[in-house]
Structures are given as C-alpha cells and as structure tokens.
C-alpha cells in the first residue's frame, strides 16, 4: 500500500480514496445511561464471554478474512529533547477489529520515528474504560490518547450530532473528502478544547439493518417492525419517522432479545452483525448505509503540552497515516464479511439509488427537527460536498 502525505503541518490531513467498509463494535450514543457495545463495567464480562463462546464459530467463517498488511514506516527520525515519554492509547473496540489494527500502525510509526523515545502501549476492549471514561481520563491527564466514535461526544460538542443524521454521506469517498478537508479540520479545531487536542480521523463506518421478518427495500416494509436502537434521540427519530417501532436496549441484551422475538431487528456494521452471530437469528439484512460515523483521534492536552513541538507533529503525522490505513482495513473487512454472511445464508438486499432516495425523502423531517441544534450551515456544507 502506498501512503501519500502532504507537507507536515499541525492541521494537514492525509488524503486517499479507497473503497467501501465499516468495521467496529457498536460505540455508544448521546446519552450515557446504557452504553451499547462500549464494554462498560456492566457489560464487559458479558461481552467478552460472548466473544469467547463464539470464537470457534467465527474463526471458521472468517478464515478467508485477511487484513491489508501493516505498511513500513517512512520518514526520518524526529529529533526530540532527549527525554523519554510513555503514551497509553485506549479504545473501546476489540483487538480483532480495524481500529486496533490501525493503532498497531500508529505505534510502529511513533516508536520508530522517535527512535524509541516515545513508547506506545495499546489497550483495547475498553480495558481502561468506555469512550466517555477514556475522554475524561484524557482531561484529567491520567490517559494520553483515545479514539472514540463521535456519538458519545455530542453533549460536549453538539456539532458532532451531524454524524448521526441519516444518509448524509452517500459514499465512503465523500466521507473522506469531508473529514480530510476544511470541514473536518474545523471540527478538529472545535474538539481541541476542554483539555483535549484532536489530531485526526478514522472510520467507525456504516450501519446496516437486519431483521427476522421480511426483506426491507422501502420505508413501507418497516411499518410496525420492532427495531432495537442505541439510546440516541436522532436514531430514535430516524426509525420512528420511517414507521418502525424503535426500542432502545443494552447491546449486551440484544442477541437474546432477537432470539426470543422481543425485537424484530437491529442495526449495526457488518462486522458487529457477524461477530455477534446476529445472522443466526436474523434471516434478512438490507445494506442501507443509513448512518456513517467516524472515529476521532484525541490526545490529552496535559500530555501534549509536555511534548516538544517536533514530537507533537510526529503524533499528528502518525494519526493521519493511521487513519488512511485503518479505513483501508475497515473497508476490506466490510466487503469480505458481507460476502461471508451471504455464504452463511443471510439474504442481503442492496438498495438501488432510487430506493435510497425514497428513504431520504421520508426522513426529511429528521433534518428539520435537528437543523438548528446541529447547525444549518454545517449540514448544508456537507450536503453541498455530497452533491458534487
């Protein structure tokens, strides 16, 4: 893989166009009552246990799933101040996902180009706390880096709710252009406050719909369907507006609820659908790509201010290269896992552009409802980019 970087500056963003994918455990929502998929203290052991129980099954279906190799490190050694630094980097997703693979590349870059003066220690599966707990640890200076989904940060940064709006990013390439351009830079600036320094983007990905009742290719098919959602007001509005019966519940309870018919369906990225064995109790899926969310790479301001400027720039460069590579891994796995689900018997409906347009038209009230709170100018700027 070739990575092309621009001239090094603190706010430069690496650009690259790649193909389609979404890979990650579900990362939580605007409220913090239940944090689905972020492995809180209440759900960590249940989630790890479920993963262990299904490992043998998943291993057999994922035998053909291969991640792109971690690239070699390019660039010269960065001169520091002869001091040594330790950097703990915590995420909520699992060790088997694209995000952790990206962190391994970040670690490789930083340690090589600092000549070992910065040592990076990686923590996955919310070992040091869920997304909001990790962000709080950055603010207090007890953790150096994390990369949460944008959804849990909406209370802190209301503009981030834009990533919960439906069908805002029609393709992953457009998402890349937005995040790697002026809009993404401005949102990094917004997030560089409250004891945080935001230095880059990666991919959480697209969410897809599954259910046990019927193939879904229009809003009419959703009438009365009980769909489990995150505890997120925009997501609740989406499914209610489409005629479904949205039902918030903990991610840890979801498989049993699907199996027992408490809910008819759910929505998550393909890798979560497969790794959670939802295809065993959900015969139908629709590749809706209805919500795209990124990961944002954050550094503790307290730690950042201890670093010499050259090392600060090194973290920026490494975060941007990590984001490019993580997207490639994410999208590669997405394609492979989708095919594996089909091979295992799941009926997947791919929406035509006309069908997507029907969903978009039905969801226009959601945009009207949230326009003022999120910011009409931001929404319009992203839509204008999408229309080009």
């Amino acid at each position: 893989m070739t990575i092309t970087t621009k001239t090094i500056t603190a706010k430069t963003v690496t650009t690259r166009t790649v193909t389609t994918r979404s890979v990650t455990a579900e990362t939580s929502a605007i409220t913090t009552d239940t944090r689905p998929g972020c492995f809180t203290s209440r759900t960590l052991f249940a989630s790890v246990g479920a993963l262990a129980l299904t490992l043998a099954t998943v291993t057999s279906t994922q035998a053909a799933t291969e991640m792109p190799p971690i690239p070699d490190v390019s660039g010269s050694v960065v001169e520091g101040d002869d001091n040594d630094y330790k950097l703990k980097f915590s995420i909520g997703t699992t060790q088997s996902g694209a995000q952790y693979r990206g962190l391994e590349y970040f670690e490789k870059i930083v340690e090589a180009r600092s000549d070992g003066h910065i040592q990076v220690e990686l923590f996955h599966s919310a070992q040091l706390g869920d997304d909001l707990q990790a962000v709080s640890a950055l603010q207090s200076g007890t953790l150096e880096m994390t990369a949460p989904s944008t959804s849990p940060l909406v209370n802190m940064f209301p503009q981030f709710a834009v990533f919960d709006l439906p069908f805002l990013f029609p393709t992953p390439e457009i998402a890349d252009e937005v995040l790697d351009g002026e809009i993404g830079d401005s949102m990094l600036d917004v997030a560089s406050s409250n004891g945080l320094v935001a230095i880059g983007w990666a991919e959480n990905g697209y969410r897809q719909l599954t259910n046990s009742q019927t193939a879904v290719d229009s809003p009419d098919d959703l009438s009365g369907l009980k769909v489990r959602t995150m505890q997120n007001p925009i997501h609740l509005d989406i499914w209610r507006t489409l005629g479904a019966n949205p039902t918030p519940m903990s991610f840890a309870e979801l498989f049993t609820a699907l199996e027992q018919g408490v809910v008819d369906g759910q929505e998550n990225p393909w890798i979560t659908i497969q790794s959670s064995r939802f295809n065993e109790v959900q015969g139908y899926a629709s590749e809706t790509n209805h919500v795209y969310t990124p990961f944002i790479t954050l550094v503790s301001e307290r730690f950042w201010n201890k670093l010499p400027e050259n090392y600060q720039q090194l973290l920026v460069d490494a975060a941007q290269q990590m984001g490019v590579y993580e997207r490639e891994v994410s999208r590669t796995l997405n394609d492979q896992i989708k095919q594996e689900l089909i091979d295992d018997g799941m009926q997947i409906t791919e929406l035509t552009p006309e069908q997507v347009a029907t969903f978009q038209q039905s969801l226009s009230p959601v945009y009207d409802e949230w326009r003022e709170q999120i910011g009409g100018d931001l929404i319009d700027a992203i839509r204008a980019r999408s229309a080009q």
Side-chain angles (χ1 to χ4, degrees):
M1 183 187 74
T2 300
I3 292 182
T4 304
T5 57
K6 295 179 182 177
T7 305
I8 294 177
T9 62
K11 295 305 296 177
T12 316
V13 179
T14 302
T15 58
R16 188 168 188 263
T17 301
V18 277
T19 49
T20 126
R21 159 42 216 157
S22 122
V23 133
T24 183
E26 174 180 318
T27 338
S28 184
I30 291 175
T31 62
T32 60
D33 183 27
T34 55
R35 296 193 41 73
C38 281
F39 298 93
T40 63
S41 58
R42 290 175 289 177
T43 64
L44 174 60
F45 293 108
S47 301
V48 171
L51 179 61
L53 287 172
T54 62
L55 184 57
T57 302
V58 173
T59 299
S60 64
T61 61
Q62 290 184 333
T65 302
E66 297 181 1
M67 296 187 187
I70 295 177
D72 293 332
V73 175
S74 61
S76 59
V77 171
V78 174
E79 183 178 348
D81 56 1
D82 294 326
N83 290 323
D84 293 329
Y85 300 90
K86 291 184 178 180
L87 189 166
K88 299 186 296 295
F89 198 148
S90 173
I91 56 173
T93 57
T94 67
Q95 191 173 14
S96 61
Q99 189 183 28
Y100 188 82
R101 182 77 162 190
L103 263 62
E104 290 179 311
Y105 184 34
F106 176 89
E107 176 185 30
K108 184 177 178 181
I109 295 169
V110 170
E111 292 188 350
R113 296 196 61 206
S114 70
D115 198 23
H117 285 291
I118 303 177
Q119 289 295 309
V120 181
E121 190 173 3
L122 306 181
F123 296 87
H124 57 85
S125 305
Q127 293 168 309
L128 302 185
D130 63 30
D131 283 351
L132 284 177
Q133 290 168 334
V135 169
S136 178
L138 259 63
Q139 292 172 310
S140 65
T142 59
L143 178 67
E144 287 74 41
M145 290 189 68
T146 190
S149 170
T150 51
S151 293
L153 304 182
V154 168
N155 281 337
M156 189 179 299
F157 309 115
Q159 300 95 320
F160 282 6
V162 74
F163 296 112
D164 292 309
L165 289 174
F167 298 102
L168 185 60
F169 297 98
T171 68
E173 290 80 13
I174 289 174
D176 294 347
E177 291 176 12
V178 169
L179 292 169
D180 293 347
E182 292 181 3
I183 295 172
D185 283 358
S186 68
M187 298 184 83
L188 291 178
D189 288 338
V190 167
S192 295
S193 59
N194 298 301
L196 307 172
V197 179
I199 61 173
W201 301 100
E203 178 167 281
N204 191 345
Y206 283 110
R207 304 180 76 83
Q208 319 295 350
L209 173 69
T210 72
N211 80 95
S212 60
Q213 302 298 314
T214 185
V216 173
D217 60 20
S218 76
D220 293 340
D221 298 323
L222 290 166
S223 180
L225 202 71
K226 292 177 289 186
V227 178
R228 181 267 175 185
T229 68
M230 293 188 290
Q231 186 75 15
N232 178 311
I234 296 182
H235 287 228
L236 291 170
D237 281 353
I238 289 172
W239 296 105
R240 193 177 296 116
T241 301
L242 290 172
N245 180 12
T247 307
M249 71 171 56
S250 164
F251 186 82
E253 302 169 3
L254 180 52
F255 184 89
T256 300
L258 292 169
E259 187 176 38
Q260 296 178 351
V262 175
V263 291
D264 301 312
Q266 63 83 49
E267 42 92 51
N268 262 299
W270 288 129
I271 191 171
T272 306
I273 291 166
Q274 185 196 59
S275 64
S276 302
R277 300 181 299 142
F278 293 152
N279 56 310
E280 294 183 9
V281 290
Q282 302 273 273
Y284 302 94
S286 295
E287 190 172 41
T288 49
N289 291 336
H290 54 275
V291 169
Y292 178 94
T293 50
F295 291 121
I296 184 168
T297 306
L298 301 174
V299 186
S300 166
E301 185 179 29
R302 293 191 182 190
F303 176 71
W304 181 264
N305 290 337
K306 295 177 183 177
L307 296 175
E309 186 176 347
N310 286 350
Y311 281 175
Q312 292 176 349
Q313 187 60 57
L314 172 58
L315 295 191
V316 172
D317 295 342
Q320 292 168 4
Q321 292 179 56
M322 172 183 70
V324 172
Y325 171 64
E326 188 269 354
R327 287 170 180 167
E328 181 177 8
V329 176
S330 173
R331 294 164 192 180
T332 299
L333 290 178
N334 183 71
D335 290 343
Q336 295 181 19
I337 288 170
K338 177 186 169 185
Q339 185 59 51
E340 288 164 8
L341 289 169
I342 293 172
D343 294 342
D344 287 342
M346 177 169 264
Q347 179 180 325
I348 297 181
T349 300
E350 297 180 353
L351 302 184
T352 67
E354 292 76 19
Q355 290 168 335
V356 170
T358 299
F359 277 95
Q360 289 175 312
Q361 291 166 7
S362 299
L363 289 167
S364 59
V366 175
Y367 279 80
D368 296 338
E369 176 71 21
W370 289 91
R371 181 177 178 82
E372 183 176 350
Q373 180 174 330
I374 294 172
D377 290 344
L378 175 60
I379 295 172
D380 292 343
I382 295 176
R383 280 181 149 177
R385 174 65 68 175
S386 300
Q388 291 179 359

